[in-house]
Amino acid sequence: MLTADTWPIAAALLPLGDADPAVVPAAGLAERWRSDLLEVGDAGFEGVDLTDSWVRYGDLDARGLTALREALTETGLRALSMSAIRRSVIDERDGDAHLAYAHRCIDAAAELGVEVVSFGLHRALTAEQAKQQWFWTVEGHRDDPDDGDAWQRAVQRFRELGTHAGEVGLVVSLEMYEHTYLGSAASSVRLVEEIGLDTVGLNPDIGNLVRLHEPVESWRMLLEATMPYANFWHVKNYARDEDAAAGWFSTTPSYLESGVIDYRSAVKIAVGAGFQGVICTEHYGGDGLSMSAANRDYLRRVLPRRAYEAGESRVRQTPAPVSS
């Protein structure tokens, strides 16, 4: 059993911008990667989530993967997880390309020693969303709950990815996200159960749901329903105010300990359900890396100090502890 001192906590690379070879000149690429990763290490992290807003890992060639592995080694960081975002495998236009990219991400993760890869059904921001200070204040794409063909395509394609992951010793985690087939507790659990592989579980990123400017499910109910299926966990929090009678809602990013989700209780729910996976700290706005570091320290205070008997998870987990 993991404890507060040994639990693998990764920094999301969201705050570090775009360091992809398609954007950064080749002459400065290695130094950019090393500089960014040194910042993460200086913030006190020993592990990172390879968020693909930073680098598109599924598009790296063998030389690129070698250079990234060397940058991680030189900076003393371990790649604990990989998050491939906004590439829905059921996208009507680009779903086939996104599926192929997801397979390449699994292979890249295996090469880099990553043990869990997170995928989702959320799509690229719309032009209107991209204009906003907080993109979630404007509605984006919605998966059609009545489209049985799209649902089955999601089941089949994630099952395909889960099979591939199992063959190379990884697990796949599906990120909960607003207005998709992973946008509610019931739908997310149903999707994982229909996939039916112990290599495919949930990433209960309920921050993606509580930030919506609309009525939302109780955070506690969301976690109680999904944590038995969790094998990876993006954590972030939001201050939330609402007047449901007037139809008024407002949210803004916050520290884990000060938002609407009580993460002290959330951790107890997770551990009680048998969760033993990597936790990835995310944050939008401001100095996201420092916020993530503060949230890591908070998690170390509320995670269990000693091992104890907990429930049994319903999916396979591959925790990757780092030395404290």
Side-chain angles (χ1 to χ4, degrees):
M1 292 283 293
L2 296 170
T3 66
D5 293 329
T6 62
W7 211 293
I9 301 177
L13 297 183
L14 285 168
L16 301 184
D18 193 338
D20 194 75
V23 175
V24 180
L29 189 61
E31 181 54 34
R32 167 65 188 273
W33 288 354
R34 183 176 178 277
S35 175
D36 283 355
L37 293 173
L38 280 173
E39 275 197 71
V40 175
D42 287 345
F45 283 96
E46 296 174 329
V48 294
D49 173 74
L50 296 178
T51 322
D52 78 343
S53 58
W54 187 62
V55 172
R56 265 65 80 200
Y57 308 101
D59 293 337
L60 290 180
D61 58 17
R63 181 178 298 179
L65 287 171
T66 297
L68 180 55
R69 187 186 306 110
E70 290 174 351
L72 288 162
T73 300
E74 289 172 9
T75 54
L77 292 173
R78 180 174 176 182
L80 298 178
S81 54
M82 180 181 291
S83 296
I85 59 177
R86 300 200 178 281
R87 293 174 185 260
S88 171
V89 296
I90 61 171
D91 182 277
E92 294 79 8
R93 186 185 68 181
D94 297 319
D96 290 348
H98 292 170
L99 177 63
Y101 173 81
H103 277 293
R104 297 196 302 273
C105 280
I106 290 172
D107 288 333
E111 286 287 325
L112 294 167
V114 174
E115 296 179 345
V116 55
V117 183
S118 179
F119 300 111
L121 291 172
H122 40 314
R123 308 197 181 193
L125 297 177
T126 67
E128 190 59 31
Q129 285 179 310
K131 293 178 184 177
Q132 311 304 313
Q133 178 176 5
W134 306 124
F135 62 82
W136 55 86
T137 61
V138 174
E139 185 173 320
H141 174 84
R142 284 180 179 258
D143 288 341
D144 182 356
D146 298 320
D147 189 339
D149 289 340
W151 174 273
Q152 286 303 317
R153 193 177 309 117
V155 170
Q156 293 162 7
R157 292 190 164 189
F158 283 139
R159 185 182 293 146
E160 178 183 324
L161 293 172
T163 300
H164 180 187
E167 292 169 350
V168 294
L170 279 67
V171 296
V172 163
S173 198
L174 305 182
E175 180 180 355
M176 294 179 68
Y177 195 90
E178 64 197 66
H179 303 152
T180 71
Y181 295 142
L182 292 158
S184 71
S187 181
S188 298
V189 168
R190 178 188 163 204
L191 187 61
V192 168
E193 288 187 336
E194 288 197 21
I195 291 166
L197 295 176
D198 68 355
T199 54
V200 179
L202 289 177
N203 168 4
D205 188 350
I206 63 171
N208 290 336
L209 308 182
V210 303
R211 70 190 177 195
L212 296 179
H213 286 199
E214 61 186 62
V216 296
E217 294 178 90
S218 153
W219 68 263
R220 186 179 297 273
M221 185 278 293
L222 285 165
L223 288 183
E224 288 175 345
T226 60
M227 266 301 169
Y229 300 85
N231 57 5
F232 179 51
W233 195 10
H234 284 172
V235 295
K236 54 182 176 281
N237 212 350
Y238 294 83
R240 180 178 175 90
D241 193 12
E242 63 179 72
D243 181 344
W248 180 85
F249 307 90
S250 178
T251 62
T252 189
S254 73
Y255 288 102
L256 282 192
E257 62 186 307
S258 60
V260 68
I261 303 167
D262 171 6
Y263 271 97
R264 181 180 294 272
S265 296
V267 163
K268 292 177 182 177
I269 293 170
V271 175
F275 177 69
Q276 291 284 288
V278 174
I279 300 175
C280 170
T281 58
E282 294 187 314
H283 187 79
Y284 287 103
D287 182 351
L289 181 56
S290 291
M291 288 287 286
S292 293
N295 290 337
R296 175 205 62 224
D297 294 343
Y298 166 75
L299 287 171
R300 296 284 183 211
R301 296 197 301 272
V302 301
L303 284 163
R305 303 303 307 174
R306 58 186 181 278
Y308 66 92
E309 201 66 30
E312 183 177 349
S313 175
R314 302 184 188 184
V315 294
R316 202 174 97 200
Q317 303 193 47
T318 54
V322 294
S323 59
S324 59

